[in-house]
DNA sequence: TTGTAAGCGTTATCAC
DNA sequence: GTGATAACGCTTACAA
């Protein structure tokens, strides 16, 4: 019922190889070309991609594993990925793991040997088991939004962004700076940003008050609670650096609830530049990351790997560290 | 180099048909089963999906066409879709059209006869050309976030949501209500919401001031400009209903710039319940839509269609109109 | 420049 | 319960 290449060949009065050639390389005589074109235009024929894949071993599909699609950052990365991939005739297979590490393993395994020509992995953390599975994959992998040894990756410069932001605060005269972070298992947001904060203090010869360093999770509640601890300690900080906009919003709410003025009494800054950061009052001074660009870059690396017909990207140490922009608004 | 079913068969000392049966229905004797299981566990073998597709004519892939993945609503819908589909062993092929209608046509055509077992279409508007292409598709289609004749669809009750919100304002004593809308080509946000507003006034015997009805586009700038027009007209409205949170935020900013108090001088409400609506000051009274649910529902309908092995969903008039919740906050 | 034929890895039919 | 074997629709040597 649905046409195949043989039907087209018959209708055009040529052999199926000629039609195939027309569809691909295009080593076809003028009149055959004409006849085939006509038939294809009339019928709207499109070759079945899986039959083609079976023969060629390529699927023209790139698997993209995302931790959770319904966030603000993941879609931006995916946006970048789809933009460059679709320009290059690749389609994107989305695997939404919903923050389940098990699902990450599962999808990596599904993509193994199979189904896709390459995998772009956007995870929250990378464990030894991740590495083990990835090492067995025989399609190229690119890691995005996360640093990883031995694999090509594109990520954001969390350490320096946090350091820079802390120095910005120091430059404004703050010496007593509270920090609201998250657990260190999250390398980018947890570990790197905390290290950046610590490094800035150290380099500026500011002794760190250990009470100023608070760590929780990503929730609004955590941000509020930690901000509260910060202002109730003996030396209330004059500035608070929260590692995400969401945590900063929570801190702002907490400060407001206590009757504190921002930024006069306490300055608040963060990293993210999400939509809410420009709507909250006062508008948040924050750091912008180039998420869409990271998506684009990771796709570009993938295309390169694909072109060089590399079967695995293990030990390819190409990695791109993207920079950041400080967005100065009214909260500091 | 990468194993196939024949290799597994040899290793297990059975025929490939037996291995295939093991992989599928499972009509296999105990000892064969045991041997095969062992080999597969050791090798981590997974059958190539495209070879399977070639034979069975099924891909276990659902194409999802989204207007733009880097927004707040689309990912929520996709979230719902991926949740139910992945539970049912389907993968999702994302086609991000970036608001290009041409791309929508292109992807619909790519999906034609091909590549996917079904298409979930999330478009902004549906033209006759859309219909024409869809009619030719021979896989089932489900339309999400948009009403469409003759195709199964799940959408949000824009008309009644807007009517309800307007009535809420009326209930608060407002009679002079400004409206900030968008062009009617967007059926859901433009046409339906405007009609809901008009219907509420009519039913409550409030004569509509045509100057109160402003229409622009989705941009912040448009919202600001129209709000400005509204407060500069002779009878400044006591309330403004903007059709999206973003437009409402713009209106709020405009009112604040003019020194007006919200909600005392002018109330502001909208539809969306996006993240910014709970962060802006005052917090926005708005309407929540069940986007994730609409994604889930559309996926469920798709699964049903797939099960009934229907080749096209044309003329299947199943449609689901989802309800809404008024979120009462501080702006009205 | 074109056609013939083999083969990609699976499932389904049928006979044993 | 199991194993040959044909078939799915395409690409690609190779021959003509």
């Amino acid at each position: 019922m649905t046409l195949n290449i043989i039907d087209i060949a018959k209708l055009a009065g040529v052999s199926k190889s000629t039609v195939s050639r027309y569809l691909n390389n295009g080593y076809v005589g003028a009149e055959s070309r004409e006849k085939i074109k006509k038939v294809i235009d009339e019928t709207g024929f499109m070759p079945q991609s899986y039959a083609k894949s079976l023969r060629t071993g390529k699927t023209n599909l790139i698997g993209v594993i995302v931790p959770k699609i319904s966030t603000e950052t993941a879609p931006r990365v995916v946006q970048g990925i789809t933009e460059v991939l679709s320009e290059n005739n690749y389609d994107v297979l989305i695997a939404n793991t919903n923050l389940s590490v098990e699902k990450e393993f599962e999808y990596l395994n599904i993509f193994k040997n199979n189904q896709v020509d390459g995998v772009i992995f956007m995870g929250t953390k990378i464990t030894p088991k991740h590495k083990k599975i990835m090492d067995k994959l025989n399609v190229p992998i690119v890691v995005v939004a996360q640093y990883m040894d031995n694999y090509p990756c594109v990520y954001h410069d969390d350490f320096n962004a946090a350091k820079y932001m802390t120095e910005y605060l120091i430059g404004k005269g703050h010496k007593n700076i509270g920090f609201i972070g998250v657990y260190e298992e999250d390398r980018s947001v947890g570990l790197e940003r905390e290290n950046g904060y610590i490094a800035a203090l150290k380099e500026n010869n500011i002794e760190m008050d250990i009470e100023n360093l608070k760590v929780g999770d990503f929730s609004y509640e955590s941000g509020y609670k930690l901000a509260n601890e910060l202002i109730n300690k003996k030396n209330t900080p004059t500035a608070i650096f929260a590692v995400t906009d969401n945590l900063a919003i929570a801190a702002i709410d907490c400060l407001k609830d206590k009757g504190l003025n921002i930024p006069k009494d306490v300055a608040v800054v963060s990293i993210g530049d999400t939509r809410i950061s420009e709507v909250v009052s006062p508008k948040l001074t924050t750091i912008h990351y180039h998420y869409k660009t990271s998506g684009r870059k990771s796709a570009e690396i993938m295309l390169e790997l694909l072109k060089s017909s590399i079967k695995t990207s293990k030990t390819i140490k190409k990695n791109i560290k993207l920079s950041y922009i400080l967005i100065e608004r009214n909260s500091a």
Side-chain angles (χ1 to χ4, degrees), chain A residues 2 44 46-51 53-54 57 59 61 68-70 75-76 78-79 82-83 86 91-94 96 98 103 107 109-110 112-115 138 246 249 275-276 279-280:
Chain A
T2 117
M46 294 199 67
Q48 307 234 50
S49 43
Y50 38 82
S53 294
L54 176 57
T59 60
L61 248 36
K68 193 170 172 99
I69 190 68
S70 58
R76 288 207 236 167
V78 173
Q79 175 73 28
T82 56
E83 279 180 15
S86 78
D91 287 330
V92 170
L93 199 53
I94 287 272
N96 185 15
N98 260 319
K103 280 248 169 200
Y107 276 116
N109 274 322
I110 288 178
K112 187 176 153 188
N113 302 339
N114 212 334
Q115 195 130 48
N138 40 20
N246 196 43
I249 303 279
R275 191 76 177 75
I276 50 170
V279 165
V280 68

mmCIF file of all heavy atoms in Angstrom, chain A residues 2 44 46-51 53-54 57 59 61 68-70 75-76 78-79 82-83 86 91-94 96 98 103 107 109-110 112-115 138 246 249 275-276 279-280:
data_model
loop_
_atom_site.group_PDB
_atom_site.id
_atom_site.type_symbol
_atom_site.label_atom_id
_atom_site.label_comp_id
_atom_site.label_asym_id
_atom_site.label_seq_id
_atom_site.Cartn_x
_atom_site.Cartn_y
_atom_site.Cartn_z
ATOM 1 N N THR A 2 1.768 1.345 0.944
ATOM 2 C CA THR A 2 2.657 2.502 0.810
ATOM 3 C C THR A 2 3.810 2.132 -0.126
ATOM 4 O O THR A 2 4.344 1.038 -0.089
ATOM 5 C CB THR A 2 3.175 3.010 2.180
ATOM 6 O OG1 THR A 2 4.584 2.877 2.221
ATOM 7 C CG2 THR A 2 2.547 2.284 3.330
ATOM 8 N N GLY A 44 5.088 11.759 -3.923
ATOM 9 C CA GLY A 44 5.557 12.187 -2.610
ATOM 10 C C GLY A 44 6.355 11.096 -1.912
ATOM 11 O O GLY A 44 6.444 11.076 -0.680
ATOM 12 N N MET A 46 8.987 8.896 -0.090
ATOM 13 C CA MET A 46 10.182 9.083 0.736
ATOM 14 C C MET A 46 10.667 7.706 1.150
ATOM 15 O O MET A 46 9.874 6.890 1.610
ATOM 16 C CB MET A 46 9.854 9.901 1.973
ATOM 17 C CG MET A 46 9.464 11.328 1.651
ATOM 18 S SD MET A 46 9.620 12.389 3.119
ATOM 19 C CE MET A 46 11.399 12.373 3.342
ATOM 20 N N PRO A 47 11.953 7.467 0.997
ATOM 21 C CA PRO A 47 12.480 6.147 1.352
ATOM 22 C C PRO A 47 12.341 5.888 2.841
ATOM 23 O O PRO A 47 12.391 6.801 3.649
ATOM 24 C CB PRO A 47 13.952 6.223 0.947
ATOM 25 C CG PRO A 47 14.261 7.672 0.862
ATOM 26 C CD PRO A 47 12.992 8.367 0.493
ATOM 27 N N GLN A 48 12.160 4.653 3.199
ATOM 28 C CA GLN A 48 12.016 4.301 4.603
ATOM 29 C C GLN A 48 13.375 4.355 5.275
ATOM 30 O O GLN A 48 14.304 3.652 4.901
ATOM 31 C CB GLN A 48 11.458 2.898 4.727
ATOM 32 C CG GLN A 48 10.186 2.719 3.918
ATOM 33 C CD GLN A 48 9.061 2.195 4.756
ATOM 34 O OE1 GLN A 48 8.807 2.758 5.826
ATOM 35 N NE2 GLN A 48 8.407 1.164 4.314
ATOM 36 N N SER A 49 13.427 5.136 6.307
ATOM 37 C CA SER A 49 14.745 5.365 6.894
ATOM 38 C C SER A 49 15.314 4.124 7.571
ATOM 39 O O SER A 49 16.515 3.941 7.604
ATOM 40 C CB SER A 49 14.689 6.529 7.866
ATOM 41 O OG SER A 49 13.543 6.444 8.655
ATOM 42 N N TYR A 50 14.468 3.260 8.117
ATOM 43 C CA TYR A 50 15.060 2.128 8.834
ATOM 44 C C TYR A 50 15.620 1.081 7.890
ATOM 45 O O TYR A 50 16.585 0.409 8.210
ATOM 46 C CB TYR A 50 14.092 1.511 9.833
ATOM 47 C CG TYR A 50 12.659 1.432 9.391
ATOM 48 C CD1 TYR A 50 12.220 0.398 8.568
ATOM 49 C CD2 TYR A 50 11.734 2.391 9.809
ATOM 50 C CE1 TYR A 50 10.894 0.321 8.179
ATOM 51 C CE2 TYR A 50 10.419 2.319 9.416
ATOM 52 C CZ TYR A 50 9.994 1.279 8.600
ATOM 53 O OH TYR A 50 8.695 1.202 8.202
ATOM 54 N N ALA A 51 15.005 0.992 6.705
ATOM 55 C CA ALA A 51 15.570 0.066 5.723
ATOM 56 C C ALA A 51 16.949 0.568 5.306
ATOM 57 O O ALA A 51 17.910 -0.189 5.177
ATOM 58 C CB ALA A 51 14.667 -0.041 4.508
ATOM 59 N N SER A 53 18.847 2.447 7.109
ATOM 60 C CA SER A 53 19.754 2.281 8.244
ATOM 61 C C SER A 53 20.303 0.863 8.303
ATOM 62 O O SER A 53 21.479 0.643 8.589
ATOM 63 C CB SER A 53 19.027 2.577 9.551
ATOM 64 O OG SER A 53 18.655 3.932 9.618
ATOM 65 N N LEU A 54 19.426 -0.073 8.045
ATOM 66 C CA LEU A 54 19.849 -1.471 8.118
ATOM 67 C C LEU A 54 20.999 -1.709 7.154
ATOM 68 O O LEU A 54 21.970 -2.385 7.457
ATOM 69 C CB LEU A 54 18.677 -2.384 7.755
ATOM 70 C CG LEU A 54 19.005 -3.870 7.699
ATOM 71 C CD1 LEU A 54 19.570 -4.329 9.041
ATOM 72 C CD2 LEU A 54 17.777 -4.673 7.347
ATOM 73 N N GLY A 57 23.987 1.154 8.129
ATOM 74 C CA GLY A 57 24.508 1.196 9.488
ATOM 75 C C GLY A 57 24.446 2.573 10.113
ATOM 76 O O GLY A 57 24.974 2.798 11.200
ATOM 77 N N THR A 59 21.839 5.869 11.244
ATOM 78 C CA THR A 59 20.424 6.148 11.479
ATOM 79 C C THR A 59 20.068 7.611 11.259
ATOM 80 O O THR A 59 18.895 7.951 11.169
ATOM 81 C CB THR A 59 20.051 5.815 12.934
ATOM 82 O OG1 THR A 59 20.837 6.628 13.792
ATOM 83 C CG2 THR A 59 20.302 4.363 13.232
ATOM 84 N N LEU A 61 20.217 9.692 13.457
ATOM 85 C CA LEU A 61 19.549 10.072 14.692
ATOM 86 C C LEU A 61 20.621 10.309 15.759
ATOM 87 O O LEU A 61 21.587 9.546 15.865
ATOM 88 C CB LEU A 61 18.673 8.915 15.158
ATOM 89 C CG LEU A 61 17.158 9.015 15.150
ATOM 90 C CD1 LEU A 61 16.644 9.808 13.976
ATOM 91 C CD2 LEU A 61 16.560 7.614 15.150
ATOM 92 N N LYS A 68 15.937 16.493 32.883
ATOM 93 C CA LYS A 68 14.524 16.844 33.021
ATOM 94 C C LYS A 68 14.225 17.929 32.001
ATOM 95 O O LYS A 68 14.815 19.001 32.063
ATOM 96 C CB LYS A 68 14.230 17.315 34.438
ATOM 97 C CG LYS A 68 12.736 17.389 34.755
ATOM 98 C CD LYS A 68 12.534 17.616 36.245
ATOM 99 C CE LYS A 68 11.072 17.878 36.533
ATOM 100 N NZ LYS A 68 10.342 16.729 37.006
ATOM 101 N N ILE A 69 13.319 17.654 31.130
ATOM 102 C CA ILE A 69 13.075 18.607 30.045
ATOM 103 C C ILE A 69 12.285 19.805 30.526
ATOM 104 O O ILE A 69 12.396 20.896 29.976
ATOM 105 C CB ILE A 69 12.378 17.910 28.855
ATOM 106 C CG1 ILE A 69 12.336 18.799 27.613
ATOM 107 C CG2 ILE A 69 10.976 17.456 29.217
ATOM 108 C CD1 ILE A 69 13.663 19.071 26.981
ATOM 109 N N SER A 70 11.501 19.625 31.589
ATOM 110 C CA SER A 70 10.660 20.740 32.035
ATOM 111 C C SER A 70 11.371 21.595 33.068
ATOM 112 O O SER A 70 10.946 21.728 34.209
ATOM 113 C CB SER A 70 9.337 20.219 32.578
ATOM 114 O OG SER A 70 9.564 19.327 33.627
ATOM 115 N N PRO A 75 15.890 22.969 28.163
ATOM 116 C CA PRO A 75 15.354 23.299 26.846
ATOM 117 C C PRO A 75 16.242 24.253 26.067
ATOM 118 O O PRO A 75 16.306 24.191 24.843
ATOM 119 C CB PRO A 75 14.014 23.958 27.157
ATOM 120 C CG PRO A 75 13.642 23.479 28.495
ATOM 121 C CD PRO A 75 14.938 23.303 29.226
ATOM 122 N N ARG A 76 16.932 25.123 26.772
ATOM 123 C CA ARG A 76 17.812 26.041 26.063
ATOM 124 C C ARG A 76 18.953 25.273 25.408
ATOM 125 O O ARG A 76 19.342 25.559 24.275
ATOM 126 C CB ARG A 76 18.398 27.064 27.047
ATOM 127 C CG ARG A 76 17.382 28.080 27.524
ATOM 128 C CD ARG A 76 18.118 29.349 27.905
ATOM 129 N NE ARG A 76 17.835 29.743 29.268
ATOM 130 C CZ ARG A 76 18.531 30.672 29.937
ATOM 131 N NH1 ARG A 76 19.571 31.245 29.379
ATOM 132 N NH2 ARG A 76 18.203 30.995 31.168
ATOM 133 N N VAL A 78 18.857 22.096 24.597
ATOM 134 C CA VAL A 78 18.255 21.296 23.527
ATOM 135 C C VAL A 78 17.956 22.160 22.304
ATOM 136 O O VAL A 78 18.132 21.735 21.160
ATOM 137 C CB VAL A 78 16.963 20.616 24.023
ATOM 138 C CG1 VAL A 78 16.240 19.921 22.887
ATOM 139 C CG2 VAL A 78 17.288 19.612 25.123
ATOM 140 N N GLN A 79 17.527 23.371 22.561
ATOM 141 C CA GLN A 79 17.281 24.310 21.470
ATOM 142 C C GLN A 79 18.526 24.437 20.590
ATOM 143 O O GLN A 79 18.470 24.324 19.371
ATOM 144 C CB GLN A 79 16.912 25.674 22.056
ATOM 145 C CG GLN A 79 16.743 26.787 21.031
ATOM 146 C CD GLN A 79 15.468 26.648 20.241
ATOM 147 O OE1 GLN A 79 14.490 26.095 20.727
ATOM 148 N NE2 GLN A 79 15.474 27.112 19.006
ATOM 149 N N THR A 82 19.198 21.102 18.661
ATOM 150 C CA THR A 82 18.317 20.833 17.524
ATOM 151 C C THR A 82 18.584 21.803 16.377
ATOM 152 O O THR A 82 18.471 21.423 15.219
ATOM 153 C CB THR A 82 16.826 20.919 17.913
ATOM 154 O OG1 THR A 82 16.558 22.198 18.477
ATOM 155 C CG2 THR A 82 16.475 19.849 18.926
ATOM 156 N N GLU A 83 18.931 23.029 16.719
ATOM 157 C CA GLU A 83 19.203 23.988 15.652
ATOM 158 C C GLU A 83 20.310 23.503 14.734
ATOM 159 O O GLU A 83 20.140 23.455 13.517
ATOM 160 C CB GLU A 83 19.587 25.356 16.245
ATOM 161 C CG GLU A 83 18.389 26.186 16.681
ATOM 162 C CD GLU A 83 18.800 27.540 17.263
ATOM 163 O OE1 GLU A 83 19.973 27.939 17.064
ATOM 164 O OE2 GLU A 83 17.965 28.177 17.901
ATOM 165 N N SER A 86 19.531 19.806 13.049
ATOM 166 C CA SER A 86 18.528 19.723 11.995
ATOM 167 C C SER A 86 19.032 20.374 10.707
ATOM 168 O O SER A 86 18.658 19.973 9.608
ATOM 169 C CB SER A 86 17.202 20.337 12.438
ATOM 170 O OG SER A 86 17.258 21.736 12.385
ATOM 171 N N ASP A 91 18.115 14.010 13.051
ATOM 172 C CA ASP A 91 16.993 14.215 13.949
ATOM 173 C C ASP A 91 17.441 13.902 15.363
ATOM 174 O O ASP A 91 18.452 13.243 15.582
ATOM 175 C CB ASP A 91 15.813 13.334 13.550
ATOM 176 C CG ASP A 91 15.141 13.852 12.294
ATOM 177 O OD1 ASP A 91 15.171 15.079 12.070
ATOM 178 O OD2 ASP A 91 14.599 13.040 11.544
ATOM 179 N N VAL A 92 16.657 14.376 16.296
ATOM 180 C CA VAL A 92 17.042 14.256 17.698
ATOM 181 C C VAL A 92 16.066 13.354 18.438
ATOM 182 O O VAL A 92 14.853 13.560 18.396
ATOM 183 C CB VAL A 92 17.049 15.646 18.361
ATOM 184 C CG1 VAL A 92 17.194 15.518 19.862
ATOM 185 C CG2 VAL A 92 18.188 16.481 17.797
ATOM 186 N N LEU A 93 16.619 12.362 19.075
ATOM 187 C CA LEU A 93 15.822 11.464 19.889
ATOM 188 C C LEU A 93 16.006 11.885 21.336
ATOM 189 O O LEU A 93 17.114 11.825 21.871
ATOM 190 C CB LEU A 93 16.343 10.047 19.671
ATOM 191 C CG LEU A 93 15.479 8.869 20.030
ATOM 192 C CD1 LEU A 93 14.119 8.963 19.374
ATOM 193 C CD2 LEU A 93 16.173 7.589 19.576
ATOM 194 N N ILE A 94 14.925 12.341 21.947
ATOM 195 C CA ILE A 94 15.032 12.851 23.312
ATOM 196 C C ILE A 94 14.788 11.745 24.333
ATOM 197 O O ILE A 94 13.791 11.040 24.267
ATOM 198 C CB ILE A 94 13.977 13.949 23.553
ATOM 199 C CG1 ILE A 94 14.365 15.220 22.824
ATOM 200 C CG2 ILE A 94 13.800 14.220 25.044
ATOM 201 C CD1 ILE A 94 15.241 16.142 23.607
ATOM 202 N N ASN A 96 14.253 11.664 28.171
ATOM 203 C CA ASN A 96 14.034 12.474 29.358
ATOM 204 C C ASN A 96 14.100 11.558 30.575
ATOM 205 O O ASN A 96 13.225 10.727 30.773
ATOM 206 C CB ASN A 96 12.651 13.123 29.226
ATOM 207 C CG ASN A 96 12.348 14.091 30.354
ATOM 208 O OD1 ASN A 96 13.228 14.499 31.090
ATOM 209 N ND2 ASN A 96 11.084 14.452 30.479
ATOM 210 N N ASN A 98 14.094 12.344 33.778
ATOM 211 C CA ASN A 98 13.413 12.770 34.998
ATOM 212 C C ASN A 98 14.251 12.612 36.237
ATOM 213 O O ASN A 98 13.763 12.166 37.292
ATOM 214 C CB ASN A 98 12.138 11.954 35.177
ATOM 215 C CG ASN A 98 10.955 12.730 34.714
ATOM 216 O OD1 ASN A 98 10.869 13.924 34.970
ATOM 217 N ND2 ASN A 98 10.063 12.056 34.016
ATOM 218 N N LYS A 103 17.471 5.579 34.996
ATOM 219 C CA LYS A 103 16.996 5.830 33.632
ATOM 220 C C LYS A 103 18.150 6.250 32.735
ATOM 221 O O LYS A 103 18.159 5.961 31.544
ATOM 222 C CB LYS A 103 15.927 6.925 33.643
ATOM 223 C CG LYS A 103 14.561 6.431 34.043
ATOM 224 C CD LYS A 103 13.596 6.490 32.850
ATOM 225 C CE LYS A 103 12.306 5.757 33.166
ATOM 226 N NZ LYS A 103 11.590 5.388 31.934
ATOM 227 N N TYR A 107 18.929 4.365 29.318
ATOM 228 C CA TYR A 107 18.963 4.960 27.985
ATOM 229 C C TYR A 107 20.328 4.816 27.336
ATOM 230 O O TYR A 107 20.430 4.598 26.135
ATOM 231 C CB TYR A 107 18.548 6.432 28.046
ATOM 232 C CG TYR A 107 17.053 6.595 28.007
ATOM 233 C CD1 TYR A 107 16.363 7.134 29.077
ATOM 234 C CD2 TYR A 107 16.332 6.186 26.879
ATOM 235 C CE1 TYR A 107 14.980 7.278 29.038
ATOM 236 C CE2 TYR A 107 14.958 6.329 26.842
ATOM 237 C CZ TYR A 107 14.284 6.870 27.923
ATOM 238 O OH TYR A 107 12.926 6.999 27.880
ATOM 239 N N ASN A 109 22.196 2.379 27.696
ATOM 240 C CA ASN A 109 22.227 1.007 27.185
ATOM 241 C C ASN A 109 21.371 0.824 25.943
ATOM 242 O O ASN A 109 21.736 0.081 25.039
ATOM 243 C CB ASN A 109 21.795 0.030 28.279
ATOM 244 C CG ASN A 109 22.962 -0.367 29.149
ATOM 245 O OD1 ASN A 109 24.074 -0.541 28.639
ATOM 246 N ND2 ASN A 109 22.735 -0.498 30.439
ATOM 247 N N ILE A 110 20.228 1.496 25.931
ATOM 248 C CA ILE A 110 19.383 1.397 24.741
ATOM 249 C C ILE A 110 20.123 1.950 23.533
ATOM 250 O O ILE A 110 20.041 1.414 22.427
ATOM 251 C CB ILE A 110 18.063 2.170 24.945
ATOM 252 C CG1 ILE A 110 17.183 1.420 25.935
ATOM 253 C CG2 ILE A 110 17.334 2.341 23.621
ATOM 254 C CD1 ILE A 110 15.877 2.114 26.238
ATOM 255 N N LYS A 112 23.145 1.894 23.075
ATOM 256 C CA LYS A 112 24.373 1.130 22.831
ATOM 257 C C LYS A 112 24.229 0.290 21.570
ATOM 258 O O LYS A 112 23.259 -0.421 21.409
ATOM 259 C CB LYS A 112 24.594 0.233 24.050
ATOM 260 C CG LYS A 112 25.884 -0.520 24.065
ATOM 261 C CD LYS A 112 25.949 -1.270 25.388
ATOM 262 C CE LYS A 112 26.796 -2.514 25.263
ATOM 263 N NZ LYS A 112 26.699 -3.340 26.473
ATOM 264 N N ASN A 113 25.235 0.342 20.740
ATOM 265 C CA ASN A 113 25.259 -0.453 19.494
ATOM 266 C C ASN A 113 24.111 -0.148 18.563
ATOM 267 O O ASN A 113 23.853 -0.892 17.636
ATOM 268 C CB ASN A 113 25.124 -1.955 19.753
ATOM 269 C CG ASN A 113 26.192 -2.498 20.638
ATOM 270 O OD1 ASN A 113 27.245 -1.875 20.762
ATOM 271 N ND2 ASN A 113 25.949 -3.644 21.235
ATOM 272 N N ASN A 114 23.375 0.872 18.793
ATOM 273 C CA ASN A 114 22.026 0.769 18.358
ATOM 274 C C ASN A 114 21.340 2.086 18.105
ATOM 275 O O ASN A 114 21.676 3.078 18.706
ATOM 276 C CB ASN A 114 21.267 0.103 19.501
ATOM 277 C CG ASN A 114 20.167 -0.707 18.958
ATOM 278 O OD1 ASN A 114 19.670 -0.421 17.874
ATOM 279 N ND2 ASN A 114 19.783 -1.719 19.674
ATOM 280 N N GLN A 115 20.416 2.082 17.259
ATOM 281 C CA GLN A 115 19.389 3.107 17.242
ATOM 282 C C GLN A 115 19.875 4.512 16.901
ATOM 283 O O GLN A 115 19.206 5.231 16.197
ATOM 284 C CB GLN A 115 18.725 3.170 18.623
ATOM 285 C CG GLN A 115 17.440 3.922 18.623
ATOM 286 C CD GLN A 115 16.354 3.150 19.292
ATOM 287 O OE1 GLN A 115 16.539 2.637 20.358
ATOM 288 N NE2 GLN A 115 15.198 3.058 18.642
ATOM 289 N N ASN A 138 29.548 2.045 21.539
ATOM 290 C CA ASN A 138 30.367 2.262 20.355
ATOM 291 C C ASN A 138 29.801 3.258 19.373
ATOM 292 O O ASN A 138 29.923 3.091 18.166
ATOM 293 C CB ASN A 138 30.738 0.945 19.686
ATOM 294 C CG ASN A 138 29.574 0.005 19.693
ATOM 295 O OD1 ASN A 138 28.446 0.448 19.848
ATOM 296 N ND2 ASN A 138 29.815 -1.261 19.508
ATOM 297 N N ASN A 246 16.991 30.688 41.843
ATOM 298 C CA ASN A 246 15.878 30.232 42.654
ATOM 299 C C ASN A 246 16.196 30.345 44.152
ATOM 300 O O ASN A 246 15.377 30.811 44.940
ATOM 301 C CB ASN A 246 15.558 28.780 42.286
ATOM 302 C CG ASN A 246 14.209 28.354 42.782
ATOM 303 O OD1 ASN A 246 13.241 29.105 42.672
ATOM 304 N ND2 ASN A 246 14.135 27.156 43.335
ATOM 305 N N ILE A 249 16.131 33.993 45.096
ATOM 306 C CA ILE A 249 14.759 34.491 45.286
ATOM 307 C C ILE A 249 14.268 34.128 46.678
ATOM 308 O O ILE A 249 13.664 34.940 47.381
ATOM 309 C CB ILE A 249 13.800 33.873 44.245
ATOM 310 C CG1 ILE A 249 14.270 34.165 42.827
ATOM 311 C CG2 ILE A 249 12.373 34.325 44.490
ATOM 312 C CD1 ILE A 249 13.912 35.507 42.319
ATOM 313 N N ARG A 275 14.509 33.756 33.792
ATOM 314 C CA ARG A 275 13.474 34.761 33.579
ATOM 315 C C ARG A 275 13.062 35.449 34.884
ATOM 316 O O ARG A 275 12.822 36.654 34.903
ATOM 317 C CB ARG A 275 12.279 34.073 32.915
ATOM 318 C CG ARG A 275 11.221 34.968 32.398
ATOM 319 C CD ARG A 275 11.608 35.644 31.107
ATOM 320 N NE ARG A 275 10.469 36.454 30.646
ATOM 321 C CZ ARG A 275 10.121 37.614 31.191
ATOM 322 N NH1 ARG A 275 10.840 38.130 32.170
ATOM 323 N NH2 ARG A 275 9.067 38.274 30.737
ATOM 324 N N ILE A 276 12.970 34.679 35.950
ATOM 325 C CA ILE A 276 12.524 35.267 37.216
ATOM 326 C C ILE A 276 13.494 36.304 37.750
ATOM 327 O O ILE A 276 13.096 37.199 38.471
ATOM 328 C CB ILE A 276 12.321 34.206 38.327
ATOM 329 C CG1 ILE A 276 13.542 33.284 38.443
ATOM 330 C CG2 ILE A 276 11.074 33.399 38.103
ATOM 331 C CD1 ILE A 276 13.504 32.381 39.668
ATOM 332 N N VAL A 279 12.442 39.733 37.035
ATOM 333 C CA VAL A 279 11.086 40.096 37.408
ATOM 334 C C VAL A 279 10.985 40.346 38.912
ATOM 335 O O VAL A 279 10.187 41.134 39.376
ATOM 336 C CB VAL A 279 10.106 38.979 36.968
ATOM 337 C CG1 VAL A 279 8.769 39.127 37.645
ATOM 338 C CG2 VAL A 279 9.949 38.993 35.452
ATOM 339 N N VAL A 280 11.816 39.653 39.648
ATOM 340 C CA VAL A 280 11.796 39.812 41.095
ATOM 341 C C VAL A 280 12.173 41.255 41.456
ATOM 342 O O VAL A 280 12.826 41.950 40.674
ATOM 343 C CB VAL A 280 12.777 38.825 41.757
ATOM 344 C CG1 VAL A 280 14.219 39.186 41.429
ATOM 345 C CG2 VAL A 280 12.556 38.749 43.248
#
